[in-house]
Amino acid sequence: MRVFGWESWRGSFRGQSSGSDPGDTHTSSTSHSSHHHDTDTNMSLTPHKEELLSQFRERVAGVIPPGQQHDHNLLQWLVGEQTLCYLILAQSSSCLARNFNIDKAEHMLRKSMEWRKEWGTDTVVDWDVPEVLHNYYPVGMAGHDKTGLPVWIIPYGGCDMRGLLSSVRKCDYIRYTIRVLELSRRDMAKQTQILGYPITQQCCIFDLENFSLRHVTWKPAMDVILELVQLYEANYPEFLKCAYVINAPKVFTLAYAVIKPFLHEVTLKKIRIFGHSGWKEALLEDIDGDQLPQHWGGTRTDPDGNPKCPSQICLGGEVPKRYYLSLSKSNLSKLTEDNNLSTLTLSKGGKKRLKFDIKQPGSHLKWEFRTEDFDVGFGVSRKLKKGEEEILVPLQRVNSQLVTEEGYLVCTEPGTYVVTFDNEFSYVRSKKILYTVQVEPPGDFKEE
């Protein structure tokens, strides 16, 4: 299993394509495509590519249903590293100059068909969704873009990953994500019938309003995010036309520096990142206002006038603890006594600061801890000159009595890093902490 870390560097976002560093300001060329479509029968392929497509169809005829053997469906697997919408919109055979390896495409498709059977994707839309996911998993389909593609809004800044993963099994969280993708696939099929040309992609709007590192510095959340990225790229090739990341705060650079290496180059080129301005104009270039809630630059409101349209878009929010499962049911990690742990007791109202001198840029500061009975405050900072400190992981109370707290930070700058355990909020109880904090040089770090 691989693990995300958090890299301590900054950048600013002004609507750039994320295929480049966050400081760049150019946008992805895919976001300004023509809105004209032609059917797959008019797609321009060289005779050699047509022969490969025919061979591929014969190879997988017994694997996928006849209704999914249209050119545009098969090309999603064959194209792989190129953007299918270019082929449909621009009829450019040069877009297929690379890849088109039918052996690799067949292998990928067959593995995906096995995965679909394992997860029951054909019936997952009818799955009886746990109430907590229905009420607190932030997502919803707003409408369609100007070419007819489904538009999904994900208010991730309102996501309580810790609460959700403490309330359902990880497999149910993943299954719900798959359900969203399959709902989108069904909508694409309907749109294809209505519009008369193939709809095979979707647009996503990730709203990071109220985002902070608490959303993602928890190891179980990191694991799930990475698993979902791998799942998406392996089983939904060329499913994404464009992703808009809006209201991205400065701390998002810490998360983005870690997530970026795990995304394919082509996927990165489809992502446009904005701060708190400029994104509404960009959305309305590709999506009509009547297809978006008023809060996201459109004209729609709920019947009661709510501009966020919560009847369509689940906004997330903090998960009530009444939904939490016990450790035996939730599949969350828990330290055992044989982990070579250190023991620390915080007195009532006490605090402990552990200092680590980092000499090599790129070193990893790793932590793992739990408390015996009650929650505790935790944070990470770096010492600056004149007694000031840079906050890297904001000090916050964590329920480490329920689930092991685990994570790491990529220290891009040398200096003294401070790990803080805090009990100042409690004047009644002392806290016993079992923990391990380690510094690993860049070359020694191994992701699990």
Side-chain angles (χ1 to χ4, degrees):
M1 183 174 293
R2 300 170 69 89
V3 182
F4 283 133
W6 301 105
E7 188 161 356
S8 54
W9 65 268
R10 298 182 184 82
S12 61
F13 302 122
R14 298 182 184 278
Q16 76 275 12
S17 163
S18 65
S20 302
D21 290 335
D24 294 344
T25 57
H26 66 279
T27 57
S28 170
S29 59
T30 59
S31 63
H32 301 293
S33 302
S34 164
H35 299 308
H36 174 69
H37 279 267
D38 291 292
T39 64
D40 56 332
T41 57
N42 292 326
M43 290 189 292
S44 178
L45 291 174
T46 66
H48 176 61
K49 296 296 193 302
E50 288 181 352
E51 175 60 27
L52 289 176
L53 177 60
S54 178
Q55 291 179 24
F56 184 57
R57 180 181 286 104
E58 291 179 5
R59 287 196 188 188
V60 301
V63 180
I64 58 177
Q68 297 180 21
Q69 295 182 22
H70 301 296
D71 288 359
H72 57 272
N73 293 122
L74 298 177
L75 284 168
Q76 285 182 293
W77 298 94
L78 282 170
V79 172
E81 293 184 357
Q82 299 296 326
T83 307
L84 183 61
C85 66
Y86 281 145
L87 181 67
I88 297 175
L89 296 174
Q91 299 183 11
S92 172
S93 60
S94 63
C95 292
L96 301 182
R98 294 188 296 159
N99 221 338
F100 237 85
N101 185 315
I102 60 175
D103 291 330
K104 290 182 178 180
E106 180 184 0
H107 177 72
M108 184 178 178
L109 188 147
R110 287 183 179 275
K111 285 184 67 68
S112 181
M113 291 301 106
E114 293 174 3
W115 172 84
R116 291 183 64 83
K117 183 177 180 181
E118 176 185 346
W119 281 89
T121 57
D122 291 338
T123 58
V124 72
V125 171
D126 303 318
W127 173 48
D128 188 11
V129 176
E131 179 181 298
V132 66
L133 290 174
H134 181 270
N135 292 341
Y136 293 97
Y137 185 113
V139 71
M141 194 174 83
H144 299 89
D145 75 355
K146 294 179 181 180
T147 63
L149 278 61
V151 175
W152 290 83
I153 296 178
I154 303 95
Y156 191 75
C159 183
D160 179 8
M161 282 286 284
R162 184 187 298 271
L164 288 173
L165 292 177
S166 297
S167 303
V168 296
R169 296 176 301 166
K170 183 177 76 170
C171 63
D172 286 338
Y173 186 93
I174 293 173
R175 182 174 287 109
Y176 190 72
T177 306
I178 295 171
R179 182 177 183 272
V180 171
L181 293 169
E182 292 301 314
L183 283 170
S184 193
R185 188 192 293 275
R186 285 194 180 187
D187 183 79
M188 293 175 195
K190 291 179 182 178
Q191 288 293 96
T192 297
Q193 292 295 320
I194 294 171
L195 299 175
Y197 51 77
I199 299 297
T200 61
Q201 295 180 303
Q202 64 180 11
C203 297
C204 296
I205 303 169
F206 292 89
D207 188 352
L208 300 187
E209 185 178 4
N210 298 320
F211 175 88
S212 73
L213 288 183
R214 67 181 177 81
H215 290 87
V216 284
T217 51
W218 187 46
K219 183 178 179 295
M222 300 177 198
D223 292 341
V224 170
I225 291 169
L226 178 56
E227 190 166 341
L228 290 175
V229 168
Q230 294 172 326
L231 174 158
Y232 188 88
E233 297 211 351
N235 299 286
Y236 297 89
E238 291 303 318
F239 210 65
L240 179 69
K241 175 192 175 185
C242 186
Y244 305 86
V245 180
I246 64 175
N247 294 315
K250 289 183 178 179
V251 295
F252 178 66
T253 58
L254 302 177
Y256 184 72
V258 177
I259 296 172
K260 184 177 177 180
F262 296 101
L263 294 173
H264 195 283
E265 178 184 353
V266 171
T267 302
L268 288 170
K269 290 179 180 178
K270 297 178 181 181
I271 301 172
R272 302 180 65 191
I273 305 177
F274 297 85
H276 296 286
S277 63
W279 56 266
K280 289 185 179 181
E281 294 81 0
L283 292 181
L284 292 175
E285 287 180 10
D286 296 331
I287 308 166
D288 287 325
D290 62 358
Q291 297 295 302
L292 288 171
Q294 193 177 87
H295 181 76
W296 287 285
T299 59
R300 282 177 148 175
T301 62
D302 265 359
D304 64 357
N306 193 317
K308 293 186 177 181
C309 296
S311 63
Q312 283 183 274
I313 315 296
C314 177
L315 303 177
E318 184 176 354
V319 176
K321 288 184 172 54
R322 69 175 183 272
Y323 286 111
Y324 282 24
L325 303 174
S326 65
L327 275 174
S328 61
K329 295 180 180 179
S330 65
N331 292 330
L332 298 176
S333 60
K334 183 177 181 180
L335 283 172
T336 58
E337 298 296 338
D338 59 354
N339 284 105
N340 297 318
L341 304 178
S342 299
T343 301
L344 170 66
T345 299
L346 293 180
S347 61
K348 305 169 187 177
K351 177 189 290 188
K352 182 68 174 180
R353 288 162 54 88
L354 307 176
K355 299 177 183 179
F356 299 86
D357 290 325
I358 306 295
K359 301 185 183 303
Q360 292 181 267
S363 295
H364 291 74
L365 180 65
K366 299 175 60 179
W367 61 84
E368 191 171 359
F369 67 90
R370 75 166 185 266
T371 46
E372 285 200 339
D373 296 304
F374 304 99
D375 65 345
V376 70
F378 176 80
V380 182
S381 59
R382 183 173 69 90
K383 281 183 167 293
L384 303 176
K385 295 180 180 180
K386 299 181 180 179
E388 297 179 352
E389 292 191 10
E390 176 187 17
I391 303 300
L392 301 176
V393 178
L395 187 67
Q396 60 180 330
R397 293 172 65 172
V398 294
N399 292 314
S400 49
Q401 81 281 16
L402 299 176
V403 181
T404 296
E405 189 73 17
E406 189 174 2
Y408 70 83
L409 182 77
V410 181
C411 305
T412 57
E413 298 182 48
T416 300
Y417 288 73
V418 182
V419 173
T420 301
F421 292 104
D422 181 65
N423 195 37
E424 289 185 332
F425 58 86
S426 177
Y427 296 97
V428 179
R429 300 183 178 91
S430 61
K431 308 289 173 65
K432 183 178 179 181
I433 304 170
L434 301 175
Y435 74 94
T436 174
V437 181
Q438 300 175 347
V439 176
E440 297 186 1
D444 294 343
F445 182 71
K446 295 180 180 179
E447 293 176 313
E448 300 173 354

